[in-house]
Each structure stands twice: as structure tokens, then as C-alpha cells.
Amino acid sequence: MPNAKAYSATSPTSPLALTTIARRDVTAHDVQIEILYCGVCHSDLHQVRNEWSGFLPTVYPCVPGHEIVGRVTKVGPAVTKFRAGDLAAVGCMVDSDGTCPECLAGLEQFCPNVTFTYNLPDKHLGGVTYGGYSDSIVVDQRFVLRVPANLGLAGAAPLLCAGITTYSPMRHWGVTRGKKVGVVGLGGLGHMGVKFAHALGAHVVVFTTSPSKKEDALRLGADEVVISKNADEMLKHAGSFDFILDAVSAEHDINAYINLLRRDGNITLVGAPEKPLAISAFGLIMGRHSLSGSPIGGIAETQEMLDFCGKHNITADVEVIPIQKINEAYTRLLKSDVKYRFSIDMASLRSE
Amino acid sequence: MPNAKAYSATSPTSPLALTTIARRDVTAHDVQIEILYCGVCHSDLHQVRNEWSGFLPTVYPCVPGHEIVGRVTKVGPAVTKFRAGDLAAVGCMVDSDGTCPECLAGLEQFCPNVTFTYNLPDKHLGGVTYGGYSDSIVVDQRFVLRVPANLGLAGAAPLLCAGITTYSPMRHWGVTRGKKVGVVGLGGLGHMGVKFAHALGAHVVVFTTSPSKKEDALRLGADEVVISKNADEMLKHAGSFDFILDAVSAEHDINAYINLLRRDGNITLVGAPEKPLAISAFGLIMGRHSLSGSPIGGIAETQEMLDFCGKHNITADVEVIPIQKINEAYTRLLKSDVKYRFSIDMASLRSE
């Protein structure tokens, strides 16, 4: 079995550090990928620090990373979608049962037997799956995506989670030309939401608490920026939004945004605040508004998203770091001190 | 101007008592109705006691009542839909601007200039509109509904609010044959929800905290009854509901029901708890679930609902009372001591 270099955490409080992990030999349907870039998602940090212990306890050592782009180095004999030398990408899932109604509907993210890219049982090697903070990975071709050749790879990596997480609900709730779309929170997810809503032809309004983000929001594709603390500015938009993407993980007043929806408007949460949200029933009833959530997207839709990005030349705005800076990056992530996503250049791991 | 007998409250703390109010002469498009029955909605009590002061302060004297059925006594020269002697009904609205996009879409309940049946400015007489706790009412034919001849009138009255409030979200969220539908709370609204879901062909599950309601729920059309305090029983239904109607106005844990939804399932609130609801973002995200609200329905849909009731012989289960018992009925309403709606026999008012 080939070994791989990786960065792992051995406990909730230990920093990530160099280790060696096993990857399987390619089986008939497998694609072996040399990882070139891996985005840094806030979920990586939650999992590494076991902050989701009630939902998905962390098994150590933990190798996070589910925003993976790289180059195919080897394929199994039954692989038809890829050949050595191709660009390839892997997102949050590496397997599913393939037979349940969700899988048959192309919605593998809802499969009861889905295998996430890290921290879920690895049916090939035992133990748990190891993610993309590594120099290579082996994945069934069903879960390997094609990367349009025109995209910068460092910025393409975050599309695999931040991208699909914001693209999917916009498609699901019908964001198209002529719709008015709000994006709450301009971070790793939110900045992708702005780019997608703009490229889909919507009128895009960014809500932020920081006037300093205004210029950047406009650069990313916003048509307007509203300082959410300004009640007068908020009131001007009352009852006018078809769709709002709420990408804020911190506690905040969602009712203020529900009131901005037009009749039948929807607000979708893609950030998950830890504490329950306090929701006024009246705000939902009065305009037949809906509040929903959305997790990533299926494989077919992830490919659709990547192809859309190729067509519109969309990537994430990233700060490229060597893997040796990952612990520092986590500290900065907690302060939202990144515009807008860290992307690890995995050459730094190979040379270590 | 013709006078009408009515029961009104003169302050938030005074009981309803006999009074005389003015009704307008019929104008060109008006229908004059002798009121035969008026249902008693919890909103009547809220409005009379000024419990919605932040949302819609009560103007006194207040004549509530928006579940009205009766017989046409006179029509204006331009009225084409009704003639004297016809059965007729009036619900929660008596006017709207007729020109806004909501009105043009047949969704008058969302018109920014909608006139509710009581406690909103009366553009004909000044003051505010007076509702159905009265022996007559005059309403523009646009807001007068036809009543199928086969329906008992006492039980038909509550269809005008409790009926449309539960029918409309089921139609909006696609309740049809083969769907699994939950109804939370078996009161005035909930019992109508059970009847509609059953008549629409769904598999109906009633959630209740009271084992004593089981038999009645089955009689009303439920296929199953789940005691919501029983965690094991609840768990058996996890991830299985297409739609849940939540008709509970008291504080309760909605997350327990969100977890029962299948992927893309919706839970709609038609009761409005006073305090904000504590909603877990994870429960919404994991199955792409949505939480929404819904207020009554448009005029065309209200007619559709009445016609559906005619076809399926659906009315509310009512306890008929004389209007002299209305204050006692309010006391009992607060204890949920009614199966399932009070309906006032307005002959009692005429003989007073």
C-alpha cells in the first residue's frame, strides 16, 4: 500500500503536524490523485477540534480537507472518466451506497450511507477516511470531478465546498436573471454567493456589519451594499427579496432578514450557528416566507457548478499558504482574517 | 343607513355586549347578507383584548367575527354573482386594492391595502370595519363566496378562516395522494387540517400530547396518532414526512418535528406562538428542510376550498352557541374546551 504524507491532529487541542498515512492501491474504479491545492474550510477546524462531538465525534488522528484539486496519477482498469495527467477534484464526499432513492436522484449528500472525505469509516482500509491535507488521495471515479482548464487551481479548490454550498441553494430556490438576491456575511461562503448570484444574473445586495467591506463587495459583483446595523437602510428593502443566502455562523437576528423577503421569498442558511435561532412566527406567516437550510450539493450538481465556473471564469479569492502555516491559518480563520479562503499549496508538503 | 344589531367590546377588559352599528346601503357592487352563523376564531379574542397591540392595535368598539355564512337579502345593480335568497359567505377580508401584483395574482391576503373584515379602516363609513358578530353585513361581491348547498351552515362558517388557513398551505406545498402529512395540534385549525389532508388522499399522522384525543383524531380522518411526548414513537417517524402542518399557538419544540421531515420536506406554521421559536440550523440544513408560515388564502382559493368541501362533504365540527354565551365561550376557548370550533347561531341575536 502506498504511503502518503499528510498533516493530522492527534487530539482536539494538538496542532496539526506532519505524519504518514496509508492510501489504498487503486481498485478497478479508483482514481489516484496527486493533490496540488486544498482549501481550508471552517468545518476542518470544527472537526479537528471535535466541536461537533454531538453530531460527528472526531476520530484521531484526523486529517481534514475536502476542497481538493490535483492531477490524476493513476486510474483503475474500469475507470472511464479520467486518465493519468487529467486535472481532477474531490469535495466533501468520497462514497455513498449508490442505490438509495437519494443517490438515484443524484443527491448523494442525503444518502444515509454517505462517506465524507474525512472522519467517516473507510470501508477499504478500516479506520476513518483521511482528507486533503495530504499529498495524494485515492477516490472512486463516481466522486471525482472534472476541473475546467481555464481556472486557477488554488482558487478552484474552495469551489468543492464553499462553491457548491452556495451554488446549490441558489439553483434550488430559482435564482435567475431579474431576481433580487441578498447575501448575508461576506466570508468564505458569502463571497462565493455574491459571485454566483451575479453570474446568474440576479440583482445582488450584500449585507454586512462592516462598512469597510463595501468596496470589496462591489468588486465581487454586488449591485448594492447595505450596512445591516442601519435600520433605515434595511427598511428601504423591506418585502423586496426573492432569495437571501445567510452565510453567517455567528449568532445574529435572522428575523430582520425574513422581513426583507417578498411574498414566497426564501432565506437559506448555509452557515450553522451553534445556538438555536430565535424565529418570529409572524415574520414567516405574513408573507408566506420560508426559512431553510442546505448542505453542499450532489455530484452531478457539483460538476454543473464547476462547469458554470469555467464558463464564467469564477474561482474563490484565496490566500495561498504553505501547509506549514496551517495552524496559524486556523487562528486567523477564527478572527475572519482572510480574504476569503485559505488554499494550501501542497508543493509545500512534498518538499517537507 | 340601515342599522344592525351586533355584539361589541368597548375596551380590552370589557365583555362583549349588545350594541347597534351602522351598515352601509348597498352600492353598485355590494351584497347585503343576513348573517346566519359566525364561527368564533381565536383571532377574535386576540383582537377584542388588544393582544396584538404591536401589530394591529384594536379600535373600540370592536365587533369581531370573520367566519360568516348567511343569506343574501339585497344586491347592488352591478352585482352579477349573487341574487337575493342565495347562500353566501364572507371570510377574513372585505376589500383590497384590486390592482397590485398580489391582487392580480389572486392573492389578496398579501395586498398591502387589504381590508380585514374587522378593525381596519372602513372606506365607506369611516371608522373601522365591523365583523360577523352581527345580524347583517354589506360586502363588495368580490369578497363574497358561494356556499355549496349540501353543507350544514353552522359547520360551514369556520371554513372561512380555519378552513382556508389549513387548506391553502397544503395546496401550496403539494399535499396529494401518496404524501405523508403530519398535523400538530388538534384544535380548531388542526382538526380541519386532518380532514383536508385525508380528503386530499394523504397518509395522515396526528401529533398530540393527549392520549385522550386519539380516538377523535382517527374519527376525523387520521391514519395514525403519535403521542408527541413519546420519544420512541417520534423516532419511528424520523425523516419520513413530506409536509407537516403546525397548528399550535403555545410554545413547543418545533425541532422535534423538523427532524421528522424527509429531504425537502416542509413544516408550515399556521398558529403563531407569541414568543420566538428556537430553531436549530442543523435540523434545517441536514435534509434541506424548510420552515414556513401561511396566512389564510386568496379569494379564488377560498372558493376552491368551499367547492372542495362541498364535493367531500367537509365542514368543521362545531358546538353551536347563542351569542349570549360568547363571553363564556371565550373563557372556554382559552382552556381549549371546545370540539372544535364555536359557531354562533345568529337567530339568537335577532330575537334579543
Side-chain angles (χ1 to χ4, degrees):
Chain A
M1 254 169 3
N3 285 337
K5 282 183 177 178
Y7 260 55
S8 76
T10 55
S11 82
T13 52
S14 63
L16 290 157
L18 183 64
T19 188
T20 300
I21 58 170
R23 296 290 193 191
R24 67 178 181 267
D25 285 315
V26 294
T27 63
H29 297 275
D30 280 339
V31 177
Q32 184 191 62
I33 299 165
E34 177 191 41
I35 300 176
L36 298 176
Y37 290 93
C38 183
V40 177
C41 178
H42 208 117
S43 305
D44 300 349
L45 188 156
H46 284 305
Q47 197 68 67
V48 157
R49 299 192 177 172
N50 201 19
E51 289 170 356
W52 287 340
S53 56
F55 163 63
L56 191 58
T58 304
V59 178
Y60 294 95
C62 175
V63 179
H66 57 205
E67 298 183 334
I68 298 167
V69 295
R71 198 168 287 282
V72 175
T73 43
K74 194 174 174 185
V75 300
V79 170
T80 54
K81 279 171 64 185
F82 295 92
R83 61 180 70 182
D86 286 351
L87 290 174
V90 176
C92 301
M93 305 180 284
V94 291
D95 205 358
S96 71
D97 62 31
T99 56
C100 72
E102 306 295 2
C103 285
L104 295 177
L107 297 167
E108 298 87 354
Q109 72 271 35
F110 299 115
C111 171
N113 301 304
V114 67
T115 302
F116 295 143
T117 303
Y118 55 82
N119 200 55
L120 275 185
D122 183 331
K123 70 180 182 191
H124 297 270
L125 298 181
V128 294
T129 49
Y130 292 136
Y133 293 10
S134 171
D135 59 4
S136 70
I137 192 166
V138 179
V139 177
D140 186 293
Q141 68 169 343
R142 281 205 300 134
F143 289 85
V144 182
L145 290 305
R146 294 180 304 279
V147 180
N150 60 313
L151 299 181
L153 293 187
L159 299 177
L160 279 298
C161 175
I164 186 63
T165 297
T166 51
Y167 179 84
S168 180
M170 291 200 188
R171 295 281 288 150
H172 184 69
W173 292 97
V175 171
T176 53
R177 188 163 304 280
K179 297 292 173 88
K180 185 170 173 182
V181 170
V183 176
V184 188
L186 201 61
L189 291 170
H191 96 290
M192 288 310 308
V194 174
K195 292 187 183 203
F196 285 131
H198 175 73
L200 287 163
H203 180 88
V204 186
V205 180
V206 165
F207 297 94
T208 175
T209 52
S210 323
S212 64
K213 288 193 176 174
K214 183 165 181 174
E215 203 175 323
D216 224 24
L218 295 171
R219 178 185 62 78
L220 292 165
D223 297 286
E224 296 181 65
V225 178
V226 170
I227 306 305
S228 54
K229 294 177 211 162
N230 185 326
D232 285 346
E233 267 195 76
M234 291 288 277
L235 195 60
K236 272 187 219 161
H237 292 272
S240 68
F241 282 87
D242 296 285
F243 178 78
I244 297 177
L245 184 83
D246 187 326
V248 175
S249 302
E251 232 178 314
H252 62 297
D253 179 16
I254 290 188
N255 301 297
Y257 298 103
I258 290 174
N259 292 335
L260 301 188
L261 295 172
R262 68 167 68 215
R263 184 246 306 162
D264 291 329
N266 169 271
I267 179 166
T268 289
L269 308 172
V270 289
E274 216 173 314
K275 288 188 192 168
L277 310 161
I279 304 295
S280 151
F282 264 105
L284 293 173
I285 291 173
M286 282 312 149
R288 200 161 62 179
H289 301 140
S290 66
L291 165 69
S292 60
S294 182
I296 54 173
I299 291 297
E301 195 176 49
T302 304
Q303 188 62 61
E304 175 192 308
M305 178 275 305
L306 285 167
D307 295 344
F308 181 88
C309 287
K311 188 175 163 198
H312 294 272
N313 210 22
I314 292 173
T315 54
D317 284 23
V318 292
E319 178 178 337
V320 177
I321 57 166
I323 198 159
Q324 292 78 10
K325 295 241 178 178
I326 186 64
N327 295 300
E328 188 186 311
Y330 276 16
T331 305
R332 288 178 54 199
L333 193 57
L334 288 172
K335 295 185 287 190
S336 300
D337 175 23
V338 55
K339 281 182 178 174
Y340 283 92
R341 202 76 159 175
F342 290 110
S343 186
I344 307 167
D345 180 350
M346 221 50 82
S348 61
L349 178 58
R350 266 183 290 278
S351 65
E352 179 152 331
Chain B
M1 250 167 9
N3 285 336
K5 282 184 177 176
Y7 260 54
S8 76
T10 54
S11 82
T13 53
S14 63
L16 291 158
L18 183 65
T19 189
T20 300
I21 57 170
R23 295 291 192 191
R24 67 178 181 267
D25 285 316
V26 295
T27 63
H29 297 275
D30 279 339
V31 178
Q32 184 191 61
I33 299 165
E34 177 192 38
I35 300 176
L36 299 176
Y37 291 93
C38 184
V40 177
C41 178
H42 208 118
S43 304
D44 300 349
L45 189 155
H46 283 305
Q47 196 70 66
V48 158
R49 300 192 176 172
N50 200 20
E51 290 170 356
W52 287 338
S53 56
F55 162 62
L56 190 58
T58 304
V59 178
Y60 293 96
C62 175
V63 178
H66 57 205
E67 297 184 334
I68 299 167
V69 295
R71 198 167 287 282
V72 175
T73 43
K74 195 175 174 184
V75 300
V79 169
T80 53
K81 279 171 63 185
F82 296 92
R83 61 179 69 181
D86 286 351
L87 291 174
V90 177
C92 301
M93 306 180 283
V94 291
D95 206 358
S96 71
D97 62 31
T99 56
C100 71
E102 306 295 2
C103 286
L104 296 177
L107 296 167
E108 299 85 356
Q109 73 271 36
F110 299 115
C111 170
N113 301 304
V114 68
T115 302
F116 294 143
T117 303
Y118 55 82
N119 200 54
L120 275 186
D122 182 331
K123 70 180 181 191
H124 297 271
L125 298 181
V128 294
T129 48
Y130 292 136
Y133 293 12
S134 171
D135 60 5
S136 71
I137 193 166
V138 179
V139 177
D140 186 294
Q141 68 170 343
R142 283 205 299 132
F143 289 86
V144 182
L145 290 304
R146 294 179 305 280
V147 180
N150 60 313
L151 298 181
L153 294 187
L159 299 177
L160 278 298
C161 175
I164 186 62
T165 297
T166 51
Y167 179 84
S168 180
M170 290 200 189
R171 295 281 289 149
H172 184 69
W173 291 98
V175 172
T176 53
R177 189 163 302 280
K179 296 292 173 86
K180 186 171 174 182
V181 170
V183 176
V184 187
L186 200 60
L189 292 170
H191 96 290
M192 289 308 309
V194 174
K195 292 188 182 203
F196 285 132
H198 175 73
L200 287 163
H203 181 87
V204 186
V205 180
V206 166
F207 297 94
T208 175
T209 53
S210 322
S212 65
K213 289 194 177 174
K214 183 165 182 176
E215 203 175 324
D216 225 23
L218 296 171
R219 178 185 62 80
L220 292 165
D223 297 287
E224 296 180 64
V225 179
V226 170
I227 306 306
S228 54
K229 295 176 210 162
N230 184 326
D232 285 346
E233 267 195 76
M234 292 288 277
L235 195 61
K236 274 187 216 157
H237 291 272
S240 68
F241 282 86
D242 296 286
F243 177 78
I244 297 177
L245 184 83
D246 187 327
V248 175
S249 301
E251 231 178 316
H252 61 297
D253 178 18
I254 291 188
N255 300 298
Y257 297 103
I258 291 174
N259 292 335
L260 301 188
L261 295 172
R262 65 168 68 215
R263 184 246 305 163
D264 290 330
N266 170 271
I267 179 166
T268 289
L269 307 172
V270 290
E274 215 173 316
K275 289 189 192 165
L277 310 161
I279 303 295
S280 151
F282 264 104
L284 293 172
I285 291 173
M286 282 312 150
R288 199 161 63 179
H289 301 141
S290 66
L291 165 70
S292 60
S294 181
I296 53 173
I299 290 298
E301 194 176 50
T302 305
Q303 189 61 63
E304 174 192 308
M305 177 274 304
L306 286 168
D307 295 344
F308 181 87
C309 287
K311 188 174 163 196
H312 295 271
N313 209 22
I314 292 172
T315 54
D317 284 22
V318 292
E319 178 178 337
V320 177
I321 58 166
I323 198 158
Q324 292 78 9
K325 296 242 178 180
I326 186 63
N327 295 300
E328 189 186 309
Y330 277 14
T331 305
R332 289 179 52 200
L333 194 58
L334 289 172
K335 295 184 289 191
S336 301
D337 175 21
V338 55
K339 282 182 178 174
Y340 283 92
R341 202 77 159 175
F342 290 111
S343 186
I344 308 167
D345 180 350
M346 221 50 84
S348 62
L349 178 57
R350 267 183 290 278
S351 65
E352 179 154 331

